[in-house]
Each structure stands twice: as structure tokens, then as C-alpha cells.
Amino acid sequence: MKVGIIGGGAVGLLTAVNLTKGGHQVTVYVRREEQKHEINKGGVSLVPDYKNFPVRALLLEELRKEDIIMIAVKQYHLSDILPRLQSYLNIPLIFLQNGMGHLELLSPLKDSHQMLLGVLEYGALKHDDYTVEQTGKGICRIASLSELSATSNQTIHKLATSSYPINLEEDWYHMLAQKLVVNAVINPLTALFQVKNESLLENEHLLWLAEKLCQEACEVLGLSSGKSWEIVKRIVYQTKENYSSMCKDIEAGRRTEIEAISGYILKKTQCDLVYTSFAYRSIKALEMNAGGLKDD
Amino acid sequence: MKVGIIGGGAVGLLTAVNLTKGGHQVTVYVRREEQKHEINKGGVSLVPDYKNFPVRALLLEELRKEDIIMIAVKQYHLSDILPRLQSYLNIPLIFLQNGMGHLELLSPLKDSHQMLLGVLEYGALKHDDYTVEQTGKGICRIASLSELSATSNQTIHKLATSSYPINLEEDWYHMLAQKLVVNAVINPLTALFQVKNESLLENEHLLWLAEKLCQEACEVLGLSSGKSWEIVKRIVYQTKENYSSMCKDIEAGRRTEIEAISGYILKKTQCDLVYTSFAYRSIKALEMNAGGLKDD
């Protein structure tokens, strides 16, 4: 099956490799000529063994007919991408963004397009323009945002292989909200204390704070706090060796995704979410102490 | 006037220098023969000019008749010191401990002894056994815990000079509680973010967190939150170049005074003090991450 992946970042490259492993013919659509060239020279290389996978690269403006398109750009680049997808009425479009802020952007298209949302449990780490690493374990969860045709349904089912296990979820809101809770717990705490994910399980005080953050996020997003807490702990365990993206952003003095994560939760309620506020303010304080913020 | 100071730590040495400057004849009572020897050799040296002040040193067991005794040991050493003070019924004893945990220890003596409590606004930093630095500005506040005789009152008034400005406070509880609020705001935040005191004024997010911690502490200790917040900001400004003791303890992997500060406030209430809990847990988490804790 021909799969197009828009975005040559960590998630785009890792998804390209995992789908290529599964026998799909993958094209990554990138912004820069240089990255296109590097990938076409030798494919995408997967850490730790640096085995190369035959992924093709094209520029975004060269977007062609694909059986399925996955959109793996950051949330704030989505508005540039959406106009290019206008004519793709009948093929599944899978959006792989963090947070929930992109739902408003996608909503006007959901009656006309075959749209799905995906979230990854594991992390992806880009080493250079054609080298990527999967950090932690887990699957990709996918839920449809719009009513899918029978053909689209079949296409989605063909996407899954042992190299790219997929769970199809009934309820996209629940799926995204659940992922947001996980991020709202793991990211600010690991960033504030500059620790690996596993510290949240091993340090009783961090575990205590993690549970408080989980409870507050669940309250706002309408999830069961007990169930979500079990899920958070499972994800932390599956990614215990990871440094979260926010932890690395703070270490590198980069802007974090705190606004899209804890900031989003705080905006969704009139209640005083004190633990979430403390975490949010802490990350903002660290960003501010780092001085001028670089986007990545 | 003959002043005895028990304790050769940062506060003891700095107080010795400031009182010697004011013309008093000061003896510091220390635990170790080595420190006694060093101080008797050349007095106590004050950073930044390393000028020496003629302070005498004796061992604790050599305690003599003094006109006034100041007790400058850590709270947890107080129980060793108190029995030595039993016979000093008629001279003022000034206790210079942090926190409020020592009040229970002192309480049985307050009807028989001339007891006062003191708190310092500035910091004291010990460089070695006979070298000390004053960090930040401010005065010493003193309040009496017991009814003072006319003689004791005169003695206290003679203690103050321009080198050792004293404010006599009416209400010892208010004075100690106010100092505790200051510590409960400055110490955990500067330790968590590893910043100088001034960051609390310069970083709007830390300022926001500082005010929340101040409000919670005031609620428990029965102080006016608005007035206390002005005092906290003034003290932060006066000590803006300081790294707090807790900040330095965390940096060095030492045990902090978090139990005596935020821990004390949490224990004093049934209410859910969320910001204080977050700060308390954070410092406990950092202590735990540092592994085995060294006492200083």
C-alpha cells in the first residue's frame, strides 16, 4: 500500500520506518530540499543498529496520490498543511498531533473528508535528517473523527502490521483526552526535576505529585481518575528509560509544549487547579530563566 | 558588656563580630578544641576585607558568667545546650533558632529564666572555623518570651549598636511566625529552581508561586497575608544576591530544613495546603534524588 507521511521530524521518520518494515511503500514529504536529498540517498536509518530502510522523500509541494496520508507535523504547522489536503476527499488522513488544540482546525473538514486521529504511546527521537530512534514501547492508537467509508476502513486495517501495531479506538475524544492526561503528568514533572520517566515511579514524592496532577487533569477532561492513573503508570513504565520531550526542551533552553498541555487544561475550567497551576508556572518560570526561547 | 555566644557556626561567628564591633567583649563557646584554638590565635575574620576582630573562644564546658548569653546553635542541638543554662536564672538568654519547633523545648523554662527569641533578616555564611560573611542586609529582631526584670531590659538595650541594630518586638509569636512565612516562601522556591533570591522578584511566574505560598502560610499561622507579602518582598530585595541556605543544601546534596519550615506549616493545619504541599514534596523529591543525605 502506498503511504504518504507529511513531516520529516521524529514522528514522521519513525512512522516511515515502521511502515516500511511492514511492507508498505512509504513516501515522506519534507520541507527542505536538503533533507529530501539525504533521505533519497540511502533511506531512513534506525537507531540502535543503523539499518537503512528504503523510504522515498519528496517536497511538500510534490504531494501525490497516496492510499493513505499521515500528517506528522507539530500542531502549530497544521494550518499550513490543511489547504494542501482539500482535494483528498476519499482517502484516510491520519493526524498525529499532541494535545487537543488542533481539533478546532480539523473540525470544518470532518464532514467532507475521511479523517482519523492518532496518538503514539512511545517516543521518537530524531538524531539527524535521516536517522531516528524509537524510545520506549507501546502502540499507536487511532480513532476516526469522521464517518469512514468501507474502503477507508479496509485501508486502515491494512496499515497495521507487527511492525506497526495499531489499536482502533471507538472514541476519539476519550483517546486524545487520555493522552493529554498522560502528557500533563509526565512532561512537566520530568522537566521540572530533570529526570527520566522512571523517577516518577521510583521517587515516592514525585509519584505523589504525579497522582495529584492526574486527578486534576481527569476532573477537567471528564475521565475516570482511577483508570487514568493506572494508564499513566503503565505508560511511565513502558517509557521508563525516556527523558520526555519537555525535559529535553528545558535542558536545551527551548520553548516547551506546556501551553498545549497544562495550559490547555487550565483554560478548559473555571476551577482552581492548584497542582496543575504550580506545574504550569514552574515550566513557564524555567522557560523564562532560560532567557530567549528557541523554537525547535 | 560581656557577651557569651554559644555556637561557632555561621550565625554565632557573625554575631560575635558584629557585637565586637559595637565594643562588647565577646566569647564564643564552641564544641571543638581545634576551632577554639583557631579563633584564639587571631580572632574572627570578616569577609569581604578579612579584617580580624578580637573574639575569644572557649569550649562549651568552660561556660562562665556573662552579662548576656546568645544561643546560636541549630534547633536540633538545643536539647544538649539547655541543661547547661539551668543556673543562669537572672541573665538574658537570647535564642537565635530558625522555625518554631524549639518553642516547646523552651517553654518549661520561661517562668524561671529571662528568655528572649531573636531572628535575623540577613544571612550568615561560614567560610571556615574563624571566617564568616554577612550576606544581604537587615536587622536582628528580638522579642521576650518571658517577663523580663528591669536589669535584663537594660542589658538588652545596651546590646544594640549601629554594628548590631536590634528591633525590639512586642509579640514573639508574631515575630517567629513572620520569619517562618518568609522562609516558607523563599527557601523552597529558590531551592527547587536553584536560583538567587532576586529571581523571585524578577521572574513573574516565581513571583506568582511565591505569593501563593505566602497566602497559604499566613492562613495557617494567622498572619495578615497582605502585610506579610510586603515583608516577604522586602526581605527578598534586601537579600537579593543571596542563595538561600536551602538552595545551597540541595546543590550540595545535604539534608534541608524543609521539615522545620514547610513541614511545620503543613502539620499545623487540617486544611489541604496545595501549593505548600507541592513545594514540600518537591524538596523531599530532590533530597531523595540526591540519594543518601548528609547532615551539615
Side-chain angles (χ1 to χ4, degrees):
Chain A
M1 203 163 64
K2 290 196 294 176
V3 183
I5 296 173
I6 296 180
V11 170
L13 293 182
L14 181 60
T15 305
V17 165
N18 286 336
L19 290 175
T20 303
K21 275 186 184 175
H24 298 297
Q25 191 183 322
V26 180
T27 306
V28 176
Y29 293 91
V30 299
R31 275 186 298 178
R32 289 173 296 108
E33 187 69 56
E34 194 190 346
Q35 187 179 21
K36 170 183 167 180
H37 177 72
E38 289 288 358
I39 293 175
N40 284 328
K41 216 165 54 179
V44 175
S45 177
L46 184 68
V47 176
D49 12 357
Y50 292 93
K51 197 185 160 202
N52 281 3
F53 293 87
V55 171
R56 184 169 67 159
L58 288 173
L59 292 179
L60 204 48
E61 48 270 34
E62 299 172 305
L63 188 61
R64 308 190 174 179
K65 190 166 166 13
E66 305 279 358
D67 296 320
I68 191 166
I69 296 180
M70 301 178 81
I71 299 93
V73 300
K74 287 259 165 72
Q75 190 181 300
Y76 44 78
H77 285 134
L78 213 50
S79 44
D80 303 338
I81 305 294
L82 286 178
R84 299 185 188 277
L85 300 172
Q86 283 289 358
S87 58
Y88 286 81
L89 291 168
N90 298 314
I91 74 152
L93 306 172
I94 306 183
F95 293 86
L96 297 171
Q97 283 66 42
N98 262 332
M100 298 183 77
H102 56 305
L103 290 171
E104 274 180 45
L105 274 177
L106 299 182
S107 162
L109 298 177
K110 83 181 159 71
D111 290 334
S112 51
H113 288 69
Q114 304 284 298
M115 298 178 94
L116 301 102
L117 303 166
V119 299
L120 307 180
E121 288 182 352
Y122 46 88
L125 185 60
K126 185 174 163 177
H127 288 231
D128 61 33
D129 268 355
Y130 56 97
T131 312
V132 74
E133 180 180 356
Q134 176 167 332
T135 59
K137 294 172 195 160
I139 58 167
C140 174
R141 296 179 185 278
I142 290 179
S144 57
L145 185 61
S146 50
E147 184 119 11
L148 292 194
S149 66
T151 324
S152 288
N153 255 318
Q154 280 173 4
T155 310
I156 297 301
H157 278 94
K158 275 193 243 163
L159 196 66
T161 64
S162 60
S163 317
Y164 195 72
I166 287 175
N167 223 57
L168 288 171
E169 308 278 327
E170 287 290 308
D171 180 346
W172 62 263
Y173 174 83
H174 187 271
M175 181 186 82
L176 283 196
Q178 185 61 67
K179 176 71 188 295
L180 187 57
V181 170
V182 170
N183 284 340
V185 173
I186 298 178
N187 289 24
L189 285 181
T190 54
L192 177 55
F193 294 95
Q194 288 289 299
V195 290
K196 280 188 182 176
N197 291 1
E198 66 185 354
S199 281
L200 303 190
L201 297 178
E202 287 172 2
N203 186 312
E204 59 179 302
H205 305 290
L206 296 185
L207 186 70
W208 189 91
L209 289 171
E211 190 168 7
K212 295 290 183 185
L213 288 175
C214 180
Q215 284 165 354
E216 287 190 346
C218 286
E219 203 179 314
V220 172
L221 297 170
L223 300 185
S224 144
S225 157
K227 258 193 208 162
S228 290
W229 179 231
E230 292 308 314
I231 291 170
V232 168
K233 284 192 290 186
R234 176 174 62 75
I235 304 278
V236 171
Y237 185 77
Q238 285 173 192
T239 59
K240 61 186 174 176
E241 292 296 327
N242 290 17
Y243 289 98
S244 76
S245 57
M246 197 174 285
C247 178
K248 283 184 287 192
D249 287 341
I250 286 295
E251 196 197 5
R254 282 194 300 261
R255 179 192 300 276
T256 71
E257 289 193 285
I258 194 70
E259 290 296 349
I261 297 172
S262 310
Y264 179 88
I265 293 171
L266 289 171
K267 269 191 209 128
K268 279 285 157 195
T269 182
Q270 305 286 337
C271 298
D272 202 13
L273 299 187
V274 278
Y275 291 101
T276 305
S277 297
F278 199 120
Y280 171 81
R281 289 285 176 168
S282 295
I283 300 301
K284 299 291 280 183
L286 289 173
E287 284 185 345
M288 201 172 163
N289 277 353
L293 284 172
K294 301 163 263 182
D295 263 332
D296 65 342
Chain B
M1 205 164 61
K2 291 195 295 177
V3 182
I5 296 173
I6 297 180
V11 170
L13 293 182
L14 182 60
T15 304
V17 165
N18 287 336
L19 289 175
T20 302
K21 275 186 185 176
H24 298 296
Q25 191 182 324
V26 180
T27 307
V28 176
Y29 294 91
V30 300
R31 274 186 299 178
R32 289 174 295 108
E33 187 69 56
E34 194 189 346
Q35 187 179 19
K36 169 184 169 181
H37 177 71
E38 289 288 0
I39 293 175
N40 284 327
K41 216 165 54 181
V44 175
S45 178
L46 184 68
V47 175
D49 2 352
Y50 292 92
K51 196 185 161 201
N52 281 5
F53 293 86
V55 171
R56 183 169 68 159
L58 288 172
L59 291 179
L60 204 48
E61 48 270 32
E62 300 172 305
L63 189 61
R64 307 187 176 181
K65 194 170 163 10
E66 305 279 0
D67 295 320
I68 191 167
I69 296 180
M70 301 179 81
I71 299 94
V73 300
K74 284 261 165 73
Q75 190 181 302
Y76 43 78
H77 285 134
L78 213 50
S79 45
D80 303 338
I81 305 294
L82 286 178
R84 300 185 188 275
L85 300 172
Q86 283 290 357
S87 58
Y88 287 81
L89 291 169
N90 298 315
I91 73 153
L93 306 172
I94 306 182
F95 292 88
L96 297 171
Q97 283 65 44
N98 261 331
M100 299 183 77
H102 55 306
L103 290 171
E104 274 180 45
L105 274 176
L106 300 182
S107 161
L109 298 175
K110 83 179 160 75
D111 291 334
S112 51
H113 288 69
Q114 303 284 300
M115 298 179 91
L116 301 100
L117 302 166
V119 299
L120 306 180
E121 287 181 352
Y122 46 88
L125 185 61
K126 185 175 163 176
H127 289 230
D128 61 34
D129 267 357
Y130 56 97
T131 312
V132 74
E133 179 179 357
Q134 175 166 334
T135 59
K137 294 173 195 160
I139 58 167
C140 174
R141 296 180 185 278
I142 291 179
S144 56
L145 184 62
S146 50
E147 184 119 11
L148 293 193
S149 66
T151 325
S152 288
N153 256 318
Q154 280 173 6
T155 309
I156 296 302
H157 279 95
K158 274 193 242 165
L159 195 65
T161 64
S162 60
S163 317
Y164 195 71
I166 287 175
N167 223 58
L168 288 171
E169 307 279 327
E170 287 291 309
D171 180 347
W172 61 263
Y173 174 83
H174 187 271
M175 180 187 82
L176 284 195
Q178 186 60 68
K179 176 71 188 292
L180 187 56
V181 170
V182 170
N183 284 339
V185 174
I186 298 179
N187 289 24
L189 285 182
T190 53
L192 177 55
F193 294 95
Q194 289 287 300
V195 290
K196 279 187 184 179
N197 291 1
E198 67 185 353
S199 282
L200 302 192
L201 297 178
E202 287 172 2
N203 186 311
E204 60 179 301
H205 305 290
L206 295 185
L207 187 70
W208 189 92
L209 289 171
E211 190 167 8
K212 296 288 183 186
L213 289 175
C214 180
Q215 285 165 354
E216 286 189 347
C218 286
E219 202 179 314
V220 172
L221 297 169
L223 301 186
S224 144
S225 157
K227 258 193 207 161
S228 290
W229 179 232
E230 292 309 312
I231 292 170
V232 168
K233 285 192 288 185
R234 176 174 63 74
I235 303 278
V236 171
Y237 184 76
Q238 284 173 196
T239 59
K240 61 185 174 176
E241 293 294 328
N242 290 15
Y243 289 97
S244 76
S245 58
M246 197 174 284
C247 178
K248 284 185 285 194
D249 287 341
I250 286 294
E251 196 196 4
R254 282 193 300 261
R255 178 192 300 276
T256 71
E257 290 194 284
I258 193 70
E259 290 296 348
I261 298 173
S262 310
Y264 179 88
I265 293 171
L266 289 172
K267 270 192 208 126
K268 280 284 158 197
T269 182
Q270 304 288 336
C271 299
D272 202 14
L273 299 187
V274 279
Y275 291 101
T276 305
S277 296
F278 200 121
Y280 171 80
R281 289 285 176 168
S282 295
I283 300 302
K284 299 291 279 183
L286 288 173
E287 285 185 345
M288 201 171 164
N289 277 352
L293 284 171
K294 300 162 265 181
D295 263 330
D296 66 341

